Amino acid sequence: MSKPTGPPAIVFDHATIAYGRTAALERVHGTVRAGEIVALVGPNGAGKSTLIKAVLGLVPVASGSVTVLDRRPAEARRQVAYVPQADTLDPDFPVSVAQVVLMGRYRRVGWLRPPGRVDREAAAAALAAVGLEHRAADRFGLLSGGQRQRVLLARAIAAQPAVLMLDEPFNGVDAVSQEALLGAIRNLTARGAAVVVSTHDLGLAQVSCDGVCLLNRRQFGFGPPDDVLTPDTLRAAYGGAALELGDRGLILAHS
Amino acid sequence: MIETLFAPFSRPYLARALVEAVLLGALCGAVGVYVLLRRLAFLTDAITHTVFPGVVVGFLVSGRAGIVPGALVCAVIAAGLFTAIAATRRVNEDAALAVLLTAFFGIGVVLVSRQRSYTADLTAFLFGHILTVDTTDIVVTAVVAVLACVVLVGLGKELLLRAFDPEGARAAGYRITALDLVGNMLIALVVVAAVQAVGTVLVIAMLVVPAATARLLSDRLGVILAVATGLGMLGAWLGLAVSFEASRGYGVRLAAGATIVLVLVACYALVTLGQSIRRVATRAAR
Ligand SMILES: Nc1ncnc2c1ncn2[C@@H]1O[C@H](COP(=O)(O)OP(=O)(O)OP(=O)(O)O)[C@@H](O)[C@H]1O
Ligand SMILES: [Mg+2]
């Protein structure tokens, strides 16, 4: 899968990311370019969410640097959209699907002003892009987990970001919903957005992404999927259990 | 019946009480929706208790006129303090709130207990005296109501995002602590506005119950806001009328503030009951 890629959108330069004094993730080094989808993979606690939060400017970079759209992460926020895991949100919250998607427009609307017609139209178009326009009036919490995840993606699309960060968007999502999500994500990259997605699905990382960043408290590889997802690096990153990649699929073997 | 609802309020002191109660009902109903969405009932309770010593000190220093300024100082300190505690995330928030709540409340009680008219004053501070509110009290409440409108309309979308998805709001570049400070200050001001009329203890019910009732009735934020505001006003009016009628017609003295709260709670109970009946009925119909 080779396609022309754009300018660097996110540059990690030997970045170490720490909560307080303990480093959660060390020496991340690589580039995500405009138009690319990069997968963050690694076992639980590897630091995937941590890396996403560093790009969002929510966790400080202790040494090295993270550069987002040529700026420091906190300064680039207006052009970065974040898709949290749907199950971290309260399903009882009285907010409609349309209202959630409209939240993606808030930063553009600015302080003290209500969203206008342009914003409503952008939100409606974003909801249509994930195929859920018929659920606009429903309460967010009434949707299934996969549908909620699609709504959150629509919220990010409505923000028209240059960089999109998704934290495990495919957890508990069926194959059809996953395809719908991926289709909408590819639409964004086709328009020049850079996308980073954390996932436990190595097959998805290999088949559907342009690059892979393999982590476990430090970086084990960052580059094209076929270079990173080799048995040796996977064994090194995942420890005891070794994973091997066949032609298209994965074989899990214990060493 | 109609007579009971309108006639009493031709007396000036009752008319003033009605204006104050209805204003307060609307204010508490609307701000209560914010309390509900942010799950701040306990923090609101803590603010009401920390305001108490301010009320007492204000009264000791300059009588009735000192109550609102005293409450205001304490409320602003409490709101700032609680926002800071929530922002550090290192301390256990509930425990910290509970410690401050009891400490401040204790200080207030100790101060009051040194007064000669101990019980009478204590009762007034805790439960208000809506029948003796004056024009100044109404003006204070009206000013807070205008401020609340400005905040809820001007920052409504940001407060909504923060309540629904704090991590997302932070990632979008919003300063959560600043938003929380505004919200907590608003709650504190509502408590100050309510001090004269319903006292520091009952205001929590006026904030929490109408919004909770409205939430039972609807999933839509706009509807919840409208219903909570309306219920707050209706409860205030009915409560006053009932308490007046009870004391005039039946010689039963019902504290006005507490009656308002009981009317609001009765609404909540009725709605809950209605919904259970409907649920049973639909199940039976299947
Ligand atoms: N707020 C925090 N404060 C301190 N340490 C944290 C915090 N959040 C995460 N960590 C630590 O950072 C490390 C990486 O966690 P992170 O959540 O980034 O992992 P992850 O790869 O997203 O895992 P998962 O697959 O389970 O989501 C873990 O060791 C975790 O204990
Ligand atoms: Mg994670």
Side-chain angles (χ1 to χ4, degrees), chain A residues 19-20 22-25 42-51 53 85 167-168 198 200 215 217, chain B residues 89:
Chain A
Y19 293 99
T22 46
L25 189 55
N44 290 132
K48 302 182 293 294
S49 302
T50 302
L51 192 62
K53 284 179 188 157
Q85 260 184 264
D167 201 353
E168 303 196 22
S198 79
H200 287 288
L215 304 168
R217 313 310 300 264
Chain B
R89 276 186 253 172

Side-chain angles (χ1 to χ4, degrees), chain B residues 58-73:
Chain B
F59 183 74
L60 294 183
V61 171
S62 51
R64 267 203 74 165
I67 291 181
V68 165
L72 188 65
V73 170

